Amino acid sequence: MAQLVIRDLEVSVEGESGSLEILRGVDLTVNSGEVHAIMGPNGSGKSTLAYSIAGHPKYSVIGGSVTLDGVDVLEMSVDERAKAGLFLAMQYPVEVPGVSVANFLRAAATALRGEAPKVRTWVGEVKEAMSRLSIDPAFSERSVNEGFSGGEKKRLEILQMKVLRPKIAILDETDSGLDIDALRIVSDGVNRVKGEQNLGIMLITHYTRILRYIKPDYVHVFAGGKIVEEGGPELADRLEEKGYAQYAKA
Amino acid sequence: MSSALPTEYLTPTGREEAWRFTPLKRIAGLHDPAVSVVDRISIELFGKARAGFDISTAKASELPARSITTDAIVQRLRSEVTEVLHLKIDNEAVVSEPILLKRNAGGSGEFSRTVITAGAHSKASVIVENTGDGIIGEEIEIRVEAGASLTFITLQEWGQNAVHMGRHHAIVGRDANFRSITVTIGGSLVRLLPTVEYSDQGSAAELWGIYFATDGQHLEHRVFIDHGIPRAKSRVNYKGVLAGDGARTVWIGDVFIRHNAEGTDTYELNKNLLLSDGARADSVPNLEIETGEIVGAGHASTTGRFDDEQLFYLMSRGISMNEARRLVIRGFFTEIVDKIGDEVIQERLMTQIDSQLEKLGA
């Protein structure tokens, strides 16, 4: 059992006109095996929450805490957070020219497992994971995310989540830019990993569409840099109907 | 630009356009007639002779240079060198494995002239490996005859005190393909002139290069493509990394499209990655066009720092900062290193690139 605990998190970002506070006291607990949907309008701070937990240098934590199984995450470097069991599937995965998908996955698995995975089992493991996500095996030799379509990038994120075996995953708008077929493939992949690895998931999304494929246990509405309402799956249905306008002044 | 016209042979002072970036104090008198320089063939074939090519020596007077140069060191070495090494690839020969030439340069100043002739319709790859702490002024003239395809690779894996002033000039014939890959990692001061002229139509040249300068290294590449013939093509792509105090690189990319060179197709690119303060990269692409009747002519040059987003992405997968930097730099160079086509050499170069990084504690 893993537990990610976010308490009263306040985060600012350095802008051209000085420091801007984006997160204004976020409280959230994610346990293994749970799916938490974080929903909210654009600009509400959802992605800032994701990047802050992963340790992106652009964001400064000015208050509150984030712990994983009681250990302070905010003290950790970016790679240490991944080693502790956190994973961020990014909304805009980054292109890394000249670094092949195969090399990248192997370097990451080696870092996370503390030793290079055995070649014989590793190749099979990656191949199977790729095939289940309908990723062409030829992608292994391509540079990470370079020239990938939006859907291909998102599938590569889920592939990484599968082979890197995190405890808690944050999926930042993994559904954005996916057509219905790609959404189904990606959602199946997420559900499979969750089932196999008892993954805890923080699913950040603007739309309710993905929640038809990945069933949330809890829904949190995010507005103005904090959670303004919480509930079960039924809250998502209400949002579908009424939209975010009711939270605009939050 | 009158680069193809001979000028007087004058000792450079450092004020000339061609020498303004070069630290003349560090070139051990190779440019100065008052300092004597040994005349010796310093390149030899590594491995057994094989079918398809022949190596011999000739009197300099019997194998005069066919190209014109304004470079003071090359002019001087041409006047002093008495014997020339000649690598001749037979007409229509297809030499499957690369022909490996190794240089053993001494510790005092030396001049060397080499001619490589790729016979008509031949296909081969030649590698020149430079190691040790030589002080060398050299010219390699590469004659790519009609229909031939030649890959010419030079590896500057010099020791930290080496000084290397070189001109690698290709004369590309009708429908011939010339490809060069220049790798400069070692050496205290390296100044190379990878230059190309075309002797007939339908010819093509691709010039690739990588360089990696750390503390105190001065690595200079002055490319010149002289389009004086219609319907020839050129592509230039050099990539450099600089790190550490006083690391210095210079890349000049001169392309000259003469009035009669209609149908020319050229593009040149230089990218530099600066890893630390105190390093300086000069990048000067220069295109001079005398005719508008061309297929295309362009150039681009960028000098930037590490992409923080790339590092964040790699580290968010558990990869350490040092390993992430290593991956990004290997990735930066891979595009060009992979063109060498010899996995042993490619891996060796990548290992040297890693050790350049390690020297920096990165």
Side-chain angles (χ1 to χ4, degrees):
Chain A
M1 270 295 285
Q3 187 177 52
L4 179 71
V5 180
I6 302 162
R7 282 290 165 266
D8 204 22
L9 187 66
E10 295 174 27
V11 170
S12 69
V13 63
E14 289 305 317
E16 277 165 21
S17 51
S19 175
L20 184 69
E21 191 176 347
I22 298 181
L23 298 189
R24 300 160 182 270
V26 177
D27 287 293
L28 183 67
T29 299
V30 180
N31 292 302
S32 292
E34 296 175 353
V35 176
H36 292 253
I38 314 287
M39 307 193 62
N42 289 330
S44 58
K46 304 187 302 288
S47 284
T48 298
L49 177 63
Y51 278 113
S52 303
I53 297 168
H56 194 287
K58 193 174 134 192
Y59 302 96
S60 319
V61 174
I62 51 179
S65 67
V66 178
T67 58
L68 181 64
D69 297 333
V71 183
D72 186 355
V73 168
L74 300 176
E75 282 296 307
M76 298 178 191
S77 60
V78 176
D79 54 320
E80 284 168 351
R81 296 178 196 211
K83 284 180 184 143
L86 293 173
F87 181 86
L88 170 61
M90 296 191 198
Q91 185 180 0
Y92 301 110
V94 180
E95 296 184 3
V96 192
V99 178
S100 71
V101 168
N103 272 346
F104 166 58
L105 289 176
R106 197 171 164 76
T110 301
L112 289 177
R113 298 177 190 183
E115 58 176 358
K118 293 210 166 47
V119 178
R120 209 185 310 154
T121 50
W122 172 249
V123 173
E125 187 183 337
V126 173
K127 243 189 199 161
E128 201 209 318
M130 287 178 86
S131 124
R132 291 193 135 195
L133 286 162
S134 303
I135 299 174
D136 184 338
F139 272 65
S140 301
E141 294 312 315
R142 288 179 55 180
S143 293
V144 173
N145 289 320
E146 198 178 39
F148 285 28
S149 71
E152 288 163 350
K153 286 180 181 171
K154 297 300 173 73
R155 275 185 274 167
L156 181 61
E157 295 293 286
I158 302 309
L159 175 69
Q160 294 170 47
M161 187 177 83
K162 159 75 183 159
V163 300
L164 300 179
R165 305 173 191 162
K167 294 175 185 161
I168 305 284
I170 304 164
L171 309 185
D172 187 11
E173 308 220 7
T174 294
D175 52 334
S176 67
L178 295 186
D179 63 27
I180 194 71
D181 291 333
L183 181 65
R184 223 176 254 142
I185 290 167
V186 163
S187 302
D188 286 351
V190 171
N191 289 328
R192 212 162 35 238
V193 176
K194 178 179 172 265
E196 290 164 1
Q197 298 168 18
N198 198 30
L199 184 68
I201 295 174
M202 195 193 290
L203 180 69
I204 295 175
T205 181
H206 184 80
Y207 306 103
T208 52
R209 188 179 63 147
I210 193 172
L211 303 183
R212 280 178 236 145
Y213 301 95
I214 303 172
K215 294 289 176 204
D217 301 298
Y218 305 92
V219 174
H220 311 264
V221 181
F222 214 79
K226 58 185 175 187
I227 290 165
V228 292
E229 189 167 4
E230 294 177 298
E234 74 289 345
L235 179 53
D237 299 333
R238 224 169 69 218
L239 284 170
E240 168 101 38
E241 223 171 281
K242 297 188 172 164
Y244 295 114
Q246 54 181 317
Y247 304 106
K249 292 276 176 193
Chain B
M1 196 184 306
S2 58
S3 311
L5 299 173
T7 59
E8 266 183 90
Y9 169 20
L10 293 170
T11 307
T13 63
R15 286 187 295 274
E16 302 80 0
E17 178 58 32
W19 292 98
R20 69 186 175 102
F21 295 107
T22 317
L24 287 173
K25 279 194 301 242
R26 285 163 60 187
I27 69 176
L30 292 174
H31 67 305
D32 181 357
V35 178
S36 71
V37 173
V38 176
D39 160 27
R40 187 172 76 87
I41 288 175
S42 52
I43 286 180
E44 59 192 14
L45 176 68
F46 184 78
K48 287 195 184 118
R50 284 179 280 148
F53 67 90
D54 182 54
I55 288 195
S56 60
T57 56
K59 284 208 172 79
S61 56
E62 289 164 2
L63 203 60
R66 287 189 187 161
S67 64
I68 292 161
T69 181
T70 57
D71 187 80
I73 291 178
V74 179
Q75 286 176 340
R76 180 181 175 203
L77 77 87
R78 281 183 181 180
S79 72
E80 295 187 16
V81 163
T82 55
E83 271 205 317
V84 180
L85 185 76
H86 189 199
L87 166 63
K88 169 81 170 75
I89 296 153
D90 300 341
N91 292 354
E92 297 183 30
V94 176
V95 184
S96 52
E97 295 292 309
I99 300 166
L100 181 56
L101 304 176
K102 291 197 178 188
R103 187 187 307 275
N104 78 75
S108 60
E110 289 187 10
F111 282 144
S112 136
R113 256 193 74 210
T114 306
V115 173
I116 297 172
T117 305
H121 303 288
S122 65
K123 187 171 179 0
S125 169
V126 176
I127 301 174
V128 181
E129 225 178 75
N130 292 302
T131 55
D133 278 314
I135 298 169
I136 190 105
E138 64 142 358
E139 178 176 37
I140 302 178
E141 190 175 271
I142 304 133
R143 301 166 182 173
V144 191
E145 295 181 348
S149 171
L150 181 73
T151 300
F152 173 70
I153 299 164
T154 62
L155 307 176
Q156 281 61 242
E157 301 173 74
W158 293 110
Q160 61 179 359
N161 298 318
V163 175
H164 183 191
M165 301 281 122
R167 177 176 192 250
H168 301 155
H169 182 78
I171 303 168
V172 188
R174 188 176 189 92
D175 299 325
N177 278 294
F178 173 67
R179 210 161 73 121
S180 83
I181 302 163
T182 303
V183 176
T184 306
I185 299 173
S188 164
L189 170 57
V190 178
R191 181 178 184 273
L192 297 179
L193 315 173
T195 56
V196 173
E197 68 180 280
Y198 301 90
S199 61
D200 211 334
Q201 304 191 20
S203 42
E206 285 173 36
L207 278 65
W208 304 88
I210 63 167
Y211 47 87
F212 190 155
T214 58
D215 300 272
Q217 281 183 295
H218 177 105
L219 307 180
E220 180 169 347
H221 297 85
R222 308 181 71 91
V223 175
F224 175 44
I225 313 284
D226 187 349
H227 278 278
I229 292 283
R231 284 171 288 283
K233 183 176 170 178
S234 62
R235 290 288 181 273
V236 178
N237 183 355
Y238 272 64
K239 289 175 130 179
V241 171
L242 296 87
D245 215 24
R248 184 74 203 278
T249 66
V250 177
W251 182 85
I252 310 290
D254 285 334
V255 174
F256 187 20
I257 303 172
R258 292 174 190 265
H259 64 93
N260 59 328
E262 65 272 10
T264 290
D265 179 3
T266 178
Y267 192 82
E268 51 171 355
L269 177 65
N270 177 228
K271 278 190 184 174
N272 294 294
L273 197 53
L274 278 163
L275 302 193
S276 56
D277 296 329
R280 176 174 162 178
D282 283 284
S283 177
V284 189
N286 180 30
L287 192 54
E288 189 171 326
I289 308 180
E290 287 183 346
T291 172
E293 303 296 308
I294 57 170
V295 172
H299 59 70
S301 161
T302 63
T303 297
R305 294 185 174 272
F306 256 124
D307 182 336
D308 288 339
E309 295 300 325
Q310 286 180 1
L311 294 181
F312 172 73
Y313 187 72
L314 295 172
M315 290 178 72
S316 76
R317 272 47 175 155
I319 296 168
S320 69
M321 170 76 92
N322 286 350
E323 179 69 6
R325 288 167 66 115
R326 200 179 74 89
L327 282 172
V328 169
I329 287 174
R330 275 187 167 233
F332 182 70
F333 284 138
T334 290
E335 173 196 3
I336 292 171
V337 171
D338 280 357
K339 293 185 188 300
I340 292 172
D342 179 314
E343 284 191 14
V344 175
I345 290 176
Q346 286 168 205
E347 194 43 47
R348 186 178 80 210
L349 293 173
M350 284 302 189
T351 306
Q352 286 171 16
I353 287 163
D354 288 348
S355 67
Q356 290 277 74
L357 276 174
E358 278 159 22
K359 269 198 288 187
L360 302 159

